Amino acid sequence: MQLVDPRPSRPIPIRITPLIDVVFILLVFFMLTSRLLPTSFLELDNSTAPGQSVDGDPLPELVVEASGQIRWQDQEWALPALLQELRRTQVTEVNLATTGEAQLTDFTRTLTTLKTAGIEPHWQRSAPAQESE
């Protein structure tokens, strides 16, 4: 006497629907937890490493002010006038820095305009302002 029916001779099919659900849930989880770069990501090349030996004249340093003006040689310049002066003096590379109050849009506009004009800007990170106690 048999208490259990014998196993059928045909193979049992694997149900793929739960596997697809698990893969979809994992995909959504990793998409939401990963850090995505914005499409307008701006890669800045900072090749002004400290201690770097340089022969010749130092690169001119441009500082973007809070007003949007650019300080160079102890003068404040508007961007179009500065470009004309840099072309006149045949400057091809500059160090670009900002004050703590400068707007990101002014920095980005200056960086892009310099690159477009054929002047290679090197971004120089400004030291954070120390809070007075």
Side-chain angles (χ1 to χ4, degrees):
M1 177 167 140
Q2 263 185 329
L3 297 175
V4 180
D5 289 333
R7 197 166 194 199
S9 62
R10 64 185 170 98
I12 300 174
I14 298 175
R15 296 164 116 187
I16 197 81
T17 306
L19 293 175
I20 292 174
D21 291 343
V22 169
V23 170
F24 178 73
I25 290 170
L26 287 173
L27 178 68
V28 170
F29 172 76
F30 287 117
M31 285 176 55
L32 293 176
T33 59
S34 66
R35 182 169 182 237
L36 300 175
L37 293 177
T39 56
S40 60
F41 180 69
L42 179 64
E43 184 175 337
L44 301 175
D45 180 23
N46 187 4
S47 62
T48 56
Q52 182 180 12
S53 63
V54 179
D55 294 336
D57 296 329
L59 294 177
E61 185 169 325
L62 308 178
V63 180
V64 180
E65 300 283 335
S67 63
Q69 299 286 319
I70 303 156
R71 188 171 12 110
W72 178 48
Q73 296 179 339
D74 296 328
Q75 294 181 10
E76 287 196 2
W77 299 78
L79 189 55
L82 178 66
L83 278 177
Q84 289 179 352
E85 184 64 21
L86 290 174
R87 285 186 188 132
R88 189 184 68 73
T89 57
Q90 298 178 347
V91 173
T92 58
E93 282 186 273
V94 296
N95 286 335
L96 185 61
T98 60
T99 61
E101 299 82 25
Q103 297 290 322
L104 179 61
T105 54
D106 294 331
F107 169 74
T108 307
R109 183 182 312 114
T110 304
L111 184 78
T112 306
T113 305
L114 289 171
K115 279 189 175 186
T116 304
I119 299 170
E120 185 64 34
H122 300 283
W123 177 55
Q124 185 174 356
R125 183 180 298 250
S126 302
Q130 298 294 328
E131 292 182 18
S132 59
E133 293 183 25

